[in-house]
Amino acid sequence: MTEGNGKRALIDALKACGAVKFGDFTLASGKKSSYYIDIKKASTDPATLAVIAKEAAKVIKGLDIDCIGGVVLGGVPLATALSLEAGLPLVLIRKSEKDYGTGGRFVGEFKNGSKILLIEDVTTSGGSVIDAIAAIREAGAVVDRVITVVDRESGAEKNLSDVGVKLVPLVRASDLI
């Protein structure tokens, strides 16, 4: 997790851009929630996206990483911004194989054994990112760390740990609500 002024700046930016909403919501996991973290609001706001990329880049500084990965669609702007901030190649992971054009599940290049760091928008159970990790590993690359902008603290950390991946939240839901 990020510390100090950077974390505070990220919390303030997420609130200021309207990413934190209260009401009755159904999450992608099917669970009901009294709050919603709309990271798409944040990732389409240039100032907030820049704060996210800067904080994520602090987390990966000094790590042995070959590529930054993001799951389509929510992870695309985040991974792109972090790729630019860190100067690392970008890999996008589709939810399923594309059966037209050049096909495939990945956009971008990586080699067997490449170390890919994934960045996610919001993690609840971690299901969608675990699916992407399985596909990346099946293709011969390594994933051992996922950065999430916001962890809802609803099981993703343990579920990722169970598949040998460390979850690194930039902020936790309890920091925002």
Side-chain angles (χ1 to χ4, degrees):
M1 189 172 352
T2 61
E3 299 298 330
N5 292 338
K7 179 178 174 181
R8 180 81 254 156
L10 178 54
I11 291 167
D12 291 345
L14 290 171
K15 289 180 176 180
C17 77
V20 182
K21 301 176 184 301
F22 296 93
D24 293 317
F25 302 97
T26 302
L27 307 176
S29 64
K31 293 180 182 177
K32 299 288 186 185
S33 178
S34 61
Y35 68 94
Y36 184 73
I37 312 296
D38 187 358
I39 293 297
K40 274 99 180 148
K41 274 265 214 212
S43 63
T44 56
D45 175 64
T48 305
L49 184 58
V51 173
I52 293 168
K54 183 177 176 184
E55 289 307 298
K58 287 180 189 175
V59 170
I60 67 170
K61 188 174 181 144
L63 296 179
D64 183 18
I65 299 167
D66 298 310
C67 304
I68 302 297
V71 180
V72 173
L73 179 72
V76 171
L78 302 170
T80 302
L82 181 54
S83 168
L84 289 167
E85 182 75 23
L88 290 167
L90 176 66
V91 174
L92 302 177
I93 302 93
R94 295 184 177 109
K95 295 198 190 284
S96 61
E97 293 255 350
K98 186 174 87 166
D99 59 1
Y100 56 90
T102 58
R105 184 145 184 204
F106 306 105
V107 177
E109 301 289 323
F110 60 88
K111 299 176 190 154
N112 194 30
S114 288
K115 295 176 185 122
I116 300 176
L117 174 118
L118 293 177
I119 184 165
E120 270 281 271
D121 51 6
V122 177
T123 49
T124 302
S125 68
S128 62
V129 76
I130 288 171
D131 180 57
I133 291 165
I136 292 166
R137 287 175 171 171
E138 188 175 304
V142 176
V143 178
D144 63 7
R145 188 176 314 254
V146 172
I147 292 174
T148 185
V149 178
V150 180
D151 179 31
R152 289 184 60 93
E153 302 170 274
S154 298
E157 191 166 13
K158 181 191 180 313
N159 293 339
L160 284 161
S161 177
D162 288 349
V163 297
V165 176
K166 177 181 171 83
L167 180 66
V168 182
L170 297 181
V171 297
R172 297 183 189 276
S174 57
D175 296 324
L176 294 170
I177 57 173

